Amino acid sequence: SYELTQPPSVSVSPGQTARITCSGDALPKQYAYWYQQKPGQAPVLVIYKDSERPSGIPERFSGSSSGTAVTLTISGVQAEDEADYYCQSADTSDTYVVFGGGTKLTVL
Amino acid sequence: QVQLQQWGAGLLKPSGTLSLTCVVYGGSFSGYYWSWIRQPPGKGLEWIGEIDHSGTTNYSPSLKSRVTISGDTSKKQFSLNLTSVTAADMAVYYCAAFGVGGSGFDYWGQGTLVTVSS
């Protein structure tokens, strides 16, 4: 079955830039989405259609796409950004939804 | 704004059937794909399946043989049935709404912790 691959963890200091990648063979054909999840809470959408930011999401969150990989970039990381981040997309036939394994962002 | 409220049994015996329902407040039922997503304790998100306003369903290949998602447009609610549960099905189960325009899973239910124990 189709899989999306993310690094298990990323660590950055406050004020630095965090980049979280997600790779998958269908990403050139399918949009990617990113979700932030804090402990005990439901996920929150932070990026949709590769690079669009929902209303209410800070401008420091951005997304990009290149070939079989997409990247979530958080510029000027703040302590409150410490969370798990999941990418999400669909298989090439657009039949089912897939989530990446998640990346734990630690703010040092 | 769309709000999702879900309910269902939180404790099941092995081999039993998990049943959850999610009701939609606000928004258009035809404007979203309605999904169930689960998260085992300490693990990542897993998509279970979805239904649209016409009743068309799609399921995760790994769960397809045990899952049924049904919907009631008039009541603006949709339900999940998962049969033959085991300890591997223990998770927080979320209902969620994915915009038909590709806006992502904009809205999530509050989550239901389902425990499987004899």
Side-chain angles (χ1 to χ4, degrees):
Chain A
S1 62
Y2 181 50
E3 294 182 350
L4 296 174
T5 301
Q6 299 180 233
S9 62
V10 169
S11 299
V12 295
S13 299
Q16 291 189 330
T17 296
R19 295 180 178 86
I20 300 173
T21 59
C22 172
S23 62
D25 290 342
L27 288 176
K29 300 179 181 178
Q30 298 288 358
Y31 283 123
Y33 302 80
W34 290 94
Y35 302 85
Q36 176 193 69
Q37 187 181 34
K38 296 182 178 180
Q41 299 181 17
V44 173
L45 178 70
V46 295
I47 294 291
Y48 68 99
K49 288 187 176 179
D50 292 346
S51 60
E52 301 295 321
R53 194 172 53 249
S55 61
I57 299 301
E59 291 184 5
R60 64 180 181 274
F61 287 87
S62 63
S64 61
S65 175
S66 179
T68 59
V70 293
T71 301
L72 172 68
T73 300
I74 310 172
S75 304
V77 167
Q78 301 181 6
E80 66 196 51
D81 299 330
E82 185 164 285
D84 293 325
Y85 291 85
Y86 294 91
C87 62
Q88 174 254 308
S89 187
D91 68 307
T92 50
S93 62
D94 212 19
T95 303
Y96 59 89
V97 170
V98 180
F99 285 95
T103 298
K104 181 175 181 59
L105 175 65
T106 300
V107 182
L108 301 171
Chain B
Q1 281 285 11
V2 173
Q3 292 187 339
L4 304 179
Q5 184 172 356
Q6 57 184 100
W7 68 87
L11 179 61
L12 297 171
K13 295 186 184 300
S15 77
T17 296
L18 180 158
S19 295
L20 298 173
T21 297
C22 185
V23 64
V24 180
Y25 295 102
S28 166
F29 201 73
S30 62
Y32 297 88
Y33 299 103
W34 307 98
S35 276
W36 289 98
I37 295 162
R38 70 181 183 179
Q39 185 171 35
K43 297 188 177 181
L45 301 169
E46 179 183 20
W47 181 77
I48 299 170
E50 68 182 8
I51 188 168
D52 69 13
H53 72 282
S54 70
T56 299
T57 54
N58 288 306
Y59 299 125
S60 166
S62 64
L63 295 169
K64 189 173 185 177
S65 63
R66 298 193 291 131
V67 173
T68 302
I69 295 176
S70 58
D72 187 330
T73 303
S74 64
K75 295 182 178 180
K76 293 182 71 175
Q77 63 184 41
F78 60 107
S79 299
L80 168 69
N81 271 16
L82 178 68
T83 61
S84 304
V85 298
T86 69
D89 295 309
M90 290 179 53
V92 174
Y93 285 74
Y94 294 100
C95 57
F98 192 101
V100 295
S103 58
F105 287 109
D106 297 303
Y107 304 103
W108 296 70
Q110 77 274 23
T112 300
L113 176 61
V114 174
T115 301
V116 179
S117 175
S118 55

